[in-house]
Amino acid sequence: MMSGILEKFQSPGKGNGVRALKDMSHGLTVMIAEPYVYTVCRIKTACDHCLHRKEKLLRCSQCKVARYCNSHCQRKAWQGHKRECKCLRSTLPNVPPNSVRLVGKIIFKMLQKPDTASEELYTISDLQSHIKEASEEVKDGLRHLATALQHYLKEEIQEISQLPPGFQVLEYFGKVTCNSFTISDGEMQDVGVGLYPSMSLLNHSCDPNCVIVFEGTCLLLRTVKEIPKGEELTISYIDVKMPTQGRRDQLQRQYCFLCDCQRCLLRDKDEDMLAGDAEASREVESSVSRLEELLSQNTAEEALNLCKTLMNRYYLPDKNIYQLKILDCAMDASIDLGLWEEALHFGLRTLEPYSLYYSNYHPVRAVQLMKVGKLQNYQGLFAEAMKTLKQAFDIMKVTHGRDHGQTQQLAELMNDCEANMRGM
């Protein structure tokens, strides 16, 4: 897929990068990759093999940790799971962090010495760890993970000599920290974490010309701008819906570089993101983690009550990013509780801020529009729903492509809405 389209090169001031070998229009899939290794997010109800979310999953009868859609997924996963299975069994009732499972899977895969297409441009050995640039606090964290790995692997690996030749545990934890991709489903919900070595060549921009979406475990790199021949391809490593200093701090902490893109230099949209009373903004910000915790624990009623309390107590404009987070949580909680009118009320208030922060073509904005359009359709607001869904489709055909499962679901929803309009 990459041959003749892209090439690896030395990007000035950034090290390795990827650039276009020919002019590219927006809405193209320019790279496709399966993961070198991946693992499901521990708190999600997703299949350990295909990462599809389901309420009811079959649990591995031996380790009791891995879960699967059905016996087919379990059989397909067994070759990669069997050594991990013993390790997971030995640590019960504790389950290791995602990074420990990933490094364990890397070790087992390297011992098999498989060829993998995910290393077409860049190999697992080439990945940068940035250990030397890391703070002492980060290094201490990596040392704790290395100790956890040793305990986790004790059933399979007892001696250093049993590791792949030259394998440095701290180096590989650094590689995982800097190079792993969060795998999301069609609704942009995090379901897993994976390593895609060739994709790690892509450098960051807070205003990128490409986005990454997933179809199961498969990573798709899609262009969202016109890219002339010779221009570097970029993605955003982080959610761009945060102020400049927050973005820079996160990039420095996790990826060991200071972003100097145009958005950061101009502090673009910072004033909008922190609009309103500064003290109120800080109070609302301090409640966001509690809200997310309540939603993850399926206590939607308590989460919705907290959202309403915060909105009534602190009057912030909807474009304030912490107020926007409250609106998102309120919509999700209302959906969980079947309060469709309230969900739509909160969802509609998010659309203008989303268009401000996720401008041009962005998958997050497309999914948000689809959610709101679905709520409008469900409540019989068919004309409004069609308008919203068309906006979502115009973005999604660029960010995901017409053949993506999420785009096809959206097209089916639009057909259903159109049929409802004809039946009125």
Side-chain angles (χ1 to χ4, degrees):
M1 188 69 199
M2 296 177 242
S3 179
I5 299 175
L6 310 170
E7 70 173 357
K8 177 176 147 186
F9 81 117
Q10 283 296 304
S11 179
K14 296 180 180 180
N16 291 312
V18 177
R19 65 184 172 193
L21 287 174
K22 65 177 187 178
D23 293 343
M24 296 177 180
S25 61
H26 68 280
L28 294 178
T29 299
V30 291
M31 295 172 81
I32 299 176
E34 290 290 348
Y36 182 83
V37 290
Y38 67 97
T39 189
V40 71
C41 289
R42 283 190 295 161
I43 61 170
K44 300 295 182 182
T45 53
C47 174
D48 272 62
H49 175 63
C50 69
L51 298 185
H52 288 154
R53 283 191 296 163
K54 285 183 71 175
E55 286 301 316
K56 293 184 179 180
L57 295 163
L58 301 177
R59 201 177 289 270
C60 173
S61 61
Q62 297 184 49
C63 71
K64 314 293 185 188
V65 175
R67 293 174 293 180
Y68 303 99
C69 292
N70 47 44
S71 56
H72 173 74
C73 277
Q74 190 164 9
R75 283 195 302 272
K76 295 278 284 184
W78 178 243
Q79 186 61 35
H81 176 62
K82 60 183 178 181
R83 295 191 74 176
E84 180 193 44
C85 189
K86 290 182 184 177
C87 299
L88 290 169
R89 235 174 23 230
S90 72
T91 61
L92 288 174
N94 298 316
V95 179
N98 293 334
S99 55
V100 170
R101 288 185 71 180
L102 273 180
V103 174
K105 288 187 174 195
I106 291 169
I107 289 169
F108 297 145
K109 187 149 189 171
M110 290 179 79
L111 289 171
Q112 293 172 6
K113 299 181 175 62
D115 293 325
T116 170
S118 66
E119 298 180 284
E120 183 180 344
L121 291 180
Y122 212 46
T123 69
I124 193 79
S125 301
D126 292 330
L127 295 178
Q128 300 297 304
S129 68
H130 297 292
I131 287 286
K132 291 178 182 176
E133 300 99 313
S135 67
E136 280 306 312
E137 183 184 0
V138 169
K139 288 177 183 175
D140 281 343
L142 297 181
R143 291 185 194 105
H144 285 301
L145 289 172
T147 301
L149 179 71
Q150 185 178 11
H151 176 68
Y152 171 64
L153 294 177
K154 64 182 185 295
E155 291 296 313
E156 285 288 314
I157 294 176
Q158 295 81 35
E159 304 289 339
I160 291 177
S161 60
Q162 293 175 280
L163 292 170
F167 192 91
Q168 298 292 320
V169 172
L170 278 184
E171 282 283 322
Y172 272 83
F173 273 113
K175 290 182 182 195
V176 165
T177 300
C178 293
N179 295 282
S180 58
F181 287 82
T182 300
I183 302 170
S184 56
D185 64 10
E187 296 179 356
M188 303 305 291
Q189 297 292 311
D190 299 345
V191 290
V193 183
L195 277 178
Y196 299 78
S198 290
M199 298 295 175
S200 292
L201 284 169
L202 293 162
N203 283 313
H204 167 84
S205 170
C206 297
D207 184 22
N209 54 24
C210 295
V211 295
I212 281 174
V213 294
F214 292 87
E215 184 87 89
T217 61
C218 183
L219 182 156
L220 309 176
L221 180 70
R222 302 271 304 172
T223 58
V224 291
K225 294 182 180 179
E226 306 290 321
I227 303 176
K229 179 181 177 180
E231 183 172 308
E232 181 171 8
L233 276 65
T234 57
I235 57 172
S236 179
Y237 292 176
I238 57 174
D239 184 359
V240 295
K241 190 171 79 322
M242 67 174 82
T244 300
Q245 196 57 52
R247 295 197 308 273
R248 288 182 130 188
D249 287 348
Q250 184 176 340
L251 291 165
Q252 182 73 61
R253 185 172 59 252
Q254 186 170 353
Y255 300 100
C256 302
F257 72 88
L258 183 67
C259 186
D260 60 356
C261 74
Q262 279 298 107
R263 278 203 64 195
C264 286
L265 294 176
L266 297 172
R267 295 191 169 271
D268 180 47
K269 299 187 175 74
D270 280 12
E271 192 174 326
D272 292 314
M273 291 183 182
L274 300 175
D277 181 74
E279 182 59 33
S281 189
R282 282 191 291 271
E283 289 293 332
V284 174
E285 179 188 7
S286 68
S287 301
V288 167
S289 59
R290 175 61 180 154
L291 266 176
E292 291 174 335
E293 182 184 355
L294 289 172
L295 284 171
S296 70
Q297 294 171 348
N298 297 318
T299 51
E301 188 171 356
E302 190 177 346
L304 182 57
N305 287 336
L306 179 55
C307 288
K308 289 178 177 179
T309 299
L310 291 167
M311 284 187 278
N312 289 331
R313 184 180 299 165
Y314 304 107
Y315 296 100
L316 291 170
D318 291 346
K319 65 182 177 180
N320 177 289
I321 57 171
Y322 306 116
Q323 171 79 353
L324 184 54
K325 185 63 183 177
I326 301 302
L327 290 170
D328 270 329
C329 289
M331 177 173 68
D332 290 341
S334 298
I335 290 171
D336 289 345
L337 294 167
L339 303 172
W340 309 120
E341 286 187 21
E342 287 195 48
L344 178 57
H345 167 71
F346 295 126
L348 285 169
R349 288 174 63 181
T350 70
L351 294 186
E352 189 173 337
Y354 265 67
S355 70
L356 175 63
Y357 301 131
Y358 298 112
S359 53
N360 300 318
Y361 298 103
H362 200 291
V364 169
R365 185 177 170 220
V367 168
Q368 189 77 352
L369 284 161
M370 183 176 172
K371 285 171 71 174
V372 171
K374 192 182 293 186
L375 287 166
Q376 290 170 322
N377 185 52
Y378 187 77
Q379 291 177 64
L381 304 170
F382 303 129
E384 295 93 329
M386 183 57 76
K387 182 179 177 182
T388 306
L389 294 172
K390 281 182 176 177
Q391 288 182 65
F393 188 79
D394 286 342
I395 299 169
M396 203 173 284
K397 66 187 180 184
V398 173
T399 58
H400 292 65
R402 292 177 183 270
D403 295 332
H404 193 282
Q406 190 70 12
T407 314
Q408 291 177 354
Q409 279 186 38
L410 175 55
E412 288 172 11
L413 185 58
M414 291 170 68
N415 290 337
D416 179 56
C417 185
E418 199 167 29
N420 289 332
M421 290 173 70
R422 286 198 301 269
M424 288 177 65

